[in-house]
Amino acid sequence: MSTINWAPLCELIHAHQKFLLSCHVRPDADALGSELALACFLRELGKDVRVINPSAHPKSMEFLVQEHEVRYVGDGVSTAEFEWAEVHIVLDTSAWSQLPGLANFYRKTDSKKVIIDHHVSSDSLGAEEFKDVTSPATGCLVYDLGRALNCSLNPEIATLLYAAIATDTGWFRFPSTTAYTMQIISELIKAGAEPHQIYELLYEQNNLPQLRLMGRVLGQVQTDFDGLLAYTIVSCEDFSATGTTPVDTEGLVNYCLTLAGTQAAFIAVEQRSRQVKISFRSRTAWDVSKVAESFGGGDTDRPPVRC
């Protein structure tokens, strides 16, 4: 169970009506699933909720959104929509670099600011933090918050939180997975989550261009440091040749860690702006987030190691 004392956040929630929820740029299933599950809990309590993110979510996660209205900066979002909120909650990040386009709103807003996160990387966002770096996923924290609020589970919330937790634990392979993690998963399945369907919707909906990109990317994998590091580079030429975009590289870095003996990996993806986005992963206690931070990034999806 989380080490967080949820009582102050529960009091804050009960004392306010208008909530704005956000997560990090290029949201993964933990960010989006946690965010929307919290939206469901808040609406169950009769709260008004809006969701605005720094960027759009991948099409593969559209099944999580369903009837929710999820907007993103640049999609006609105005300053007034941020000023509307009494409480602005950011989930699955506590790093300014993960909030492009949204950071200025967050800095200037008069709303109460809250962070719910499990990442090691952390900036001073001027918010009240509810953070547990030993938690395997933000989805686990939102589950615990829902219990603290005496909210109920239903198939939609169960699906959202299952997707969040399963993906951020590497489908329960990472060392951060505990007996309590599996207790949560058991409750989510009882509430209506269907693991086989969630996996299929997340990972078995590729189109032919995406498979061709995967072939090119994996064909370019290289190793260094006697095989401890594996990496691959994706150029704009790769996207042009396969009819894909940078978002189609999501998750490809994880294949680098399937090489025997590999302890860390990264993928370097050239963007349309000619900038290069690098995503790091590690299978051990190596804190690759320090590398990301040295380049102005952060919130690397390194599975936390429980001591």
Side-chain angles (χ1 to χ4, degrees), residues 60 63 159 162-163 166-167 170-173 194-205 255:
S60 61
F63 77 98
T159 297
Y162 188 101
T167 53
W171 290 81
F172 320 112
R173 294 179 295 112
E194 299 186 23
H196 69 284
Q197 184 181 66
I198 295 170
Y199 187 93
E200 178 182 340
L201 290 170
L202 280 173
Y203 300 115
E204 297 178 349
Q205 303 296 316
Y255 286 98

Side-chain angles (χ1 to χ4, degrees), residues 170-186:
W171 290 81
F172 320 112
R173 294 179 295 112
F174 295 161
S176 56
T177 305
T178 67
Y180 181 61
T181 310
M182 303 313 291
Q183 288 177 28
I184 295 175
I185 291 300
S186 176

Side-chain angles (χ1 to χ4, degrees), residues 69-111:
E69 182 182 11
V70 179
R71 303 185 65 193
Y72 59 92
V73 176
D75 183 32
V77 172
S78 66
T79 302
E81 295 187 64
F82 289 89
E83 295 174 344
W84 164 88
E86 297 170 339
V87 181
H88 191 166
I89 302 177
V90 169
L91 296 97
D92 204 40
T93 186
S94 46
W96 286 120
S97 61
Q98 294 291 308
L99 301 171
L102 190 146
N104 287 336
F105 290 111
Y106 202 68
R107 284 189 176 99
K108 297 175 181 177
T109 181
D110 292 327
S111 305

Side-chain angles (χ1 to χ4, degrees), residues 29-194:
D30 189 28
L32 189 64
S34 298
E35 179 181 52
L36 296 181
L38 178 56
C40 290
F41 286 145
L42 293 173
R43 287 175 179 137
E44 181 181 332
L45 296 172
K47 308 298 181 180
D48 298 325
V49 183
R50 296 180 184 177
V51 179
I52 301 177
N53 292 330
S55 63
H57 52 271
K59 291 181 180 179
S60 61
M61 297 180 198
E62 190 62 34
F63 77 98
L64 295 175
V65 176
Q66 297 188 49
E67 301 303 317
H68 293 273
E69 182 182 11
V70 179
R71 303 185 65 193
Y72 59 92
V73 176
D75 183 32
V77 172
S78 66
T79 302
E81 295 187 64
F82 289 89
E83 295 174 344
W84 164 88
E86 297 170 339
V87 181
H88 191 166
I89 302 177
V90 169
L91 296 97
D92 204 40
T93 186
S94 46
W96 286 120
S97 61
Q98 294 291 308
L99 301 171
L102 190 146
N104 287 336
F105 290 111
Y106 202 68
R107 284 189 176 99
K108 297 175 181 177
T109 181
D110 292 327
S111 305
K112 300 287 186 181
K113 301 173 186 176
V114 173
I115 299 292
I116 301 175
D117 188 25
H118 75 120
H119 290 97
V120 175
S121 303
S122 183
D123 294 329
S124 177
L125 271 61
E128 187 171 3
E129 291 192 353
F130 296 87
K131 187 165 181 171
D132 182 356
V133 299
T134 68
S135 178
T138 296
C140 292
L141 302 183
V142 172
Y143 172 88
D144 286 342
L145 174 58
R147 290 182 60 188
L149 290 167
N150 293 315
C151 291
S152 58
L153 292 174
N154 59 34
E156 179 187 5
I157 297 172
T159 297
L160 291 166
L161 292 179
Y162 188 101
I165 298 168
T167 53
D168 247 36
T169 58
W171 290 81
F172 320 112
R173 294 179 295 112
F174 295 161
S176 56
T177 305
T178 67
Y180 181 61
T181 310
M182 303 313 291
Q183 288 177 28
I184 295 175
I185 291 300
S186 176
E187 292 302 315
L188 297 179
I189 293 174
K190 289 178 185 177
E194 299 186 23

